[in-house]
Amino acid sequence: MLKQLSIAVLAATVATAASANGFTFKVGAGYLDPTADKDLPNANLTKAEVSGEAAILPSIDYRFGSSPFSAELLLATPFEHDVTATNATDEKVQVANFKQLPPTLTFKYNTPELLPGLTANVGVGATVLIPYEENFLMGSQKLKADTAVAPAAQIGVNYSLPSQPWGVFADVRYADLSTDLKLDGEKIGKLEVNPVVYSIGVSHKF
């Protein structure tokens, strides 16, 4: 259901962009690299960490008139993650898996041209972790991960030929992201993710 909803939102966003100036549609390949681990003391697990995963990352960027500022909404195809941790006998085991959507809204400053056709941007905003289909693999308990909102930052570069709508881009994003985990309604700890997201792709200005 969430996957279909994300596709519908993307289609509506693209349709809006096609009918208005100031919009740039971007799509690329992305890799989400979690950078943190966290103990889950109530489950007797330590150093719980999330696997890195790749996905398609579409986004829409709106430029505020002739100013250097813009807002970008990043969507994604669902990420599927494994969660591994160290158990009581010091073995690293897979303890859970889940899917998630990470919509991110960023407000950006875009530089003047650094070289012909080449610009850079830096921005701050917020990302939302929307987990679903959580599975606990060490028992029959029901696992639940909470939806979470976290601050996010972005830096990127863009290149396009003069007077051409098409271009290429590369972005790096970071979010200070974590979520509470519950087994049968009881909190077992906080799962730290703190992902760095790398993306590269193509863009089209409308």
Side-chain angles (χ1 to χ4, degrees), residues 39-51:
D39 293 349
L40 302 175
N42 292 343
N44 294 318
L45 298 169
T46 60
K47 296 183 178 180
E49 57 186 359
V50 177
S51 65

Side-chain angles (χ1 to χ4, degrees), residues 42-170:
N42 292 343
N44 294 318
L45 298 169
T46 60
K47 296 183 178 180
E49 57 186 359
V50 177
S51 65
E53 299 293 338
I56 301 299
L57 302 180
S59 68
I60 197 76
D61 186 284
Y62 177 72
R63 190 73 168 254
F64 297 107
S66 58
S67 78
F69 300 102
S70 66
E72 183 174 359
L73 175 62
L74 175 74
L75 301 172
T77 55
F79 287 95
E80 300 184 23
H81 298 285
D82 296 326
V83 180
T84 59
T86 302
N87 61 19
T89 58
D90 289 330
E91 296 176 301
K92 189 172 184 178
V93 295
Q94 183 178 343
V95 298
N97 55 52
F98 67 97
K99 298 180 181 179
Q100 60 106 352
L101 293 171
T104 302
L105 181 64
T106 308
F107 294 93
K108 304 189 300 180
Y109 168 75
N110 303 275
T111 70
E113 286 190 338
L114 306 175
L115 293 171
L118 180 67
T119 62
N121 61 79
V122 61
V124 295
T127 189
V128 183
L129 173 71
I130 306 175
Y132 65 105
E133 292 188 13
E134 304 98 317
N135 296 299
F136 185 61
L137 305 178
M138 300 183 66
S140 59
Q141 300 99 317
K142 181 176 177 59
L143 177 67
K144 177 65 177 176
D146 287 347
T147 297
V149 180
Q154 173 185 348
I155 187 170
V157 293
N158 307 275
Y159 176 77
S160 58
L161 294 173
S163 303
Q164 295 294 321
W166 291 97
V168 294
F169 72 91

Side-chain angles (χ1 to χ4, degrees), residues 170-187:
D171 292 328
V172 178
R173 303 166 188 263
Y174 174 78
D176 185 18
L177 188 61
S178 62
T179 178
D180 290 333
L181 296 182
K182 298 175 182 177
L183 281 179
D184 289 341
E186 293 189 19
K187 183 177 176 180

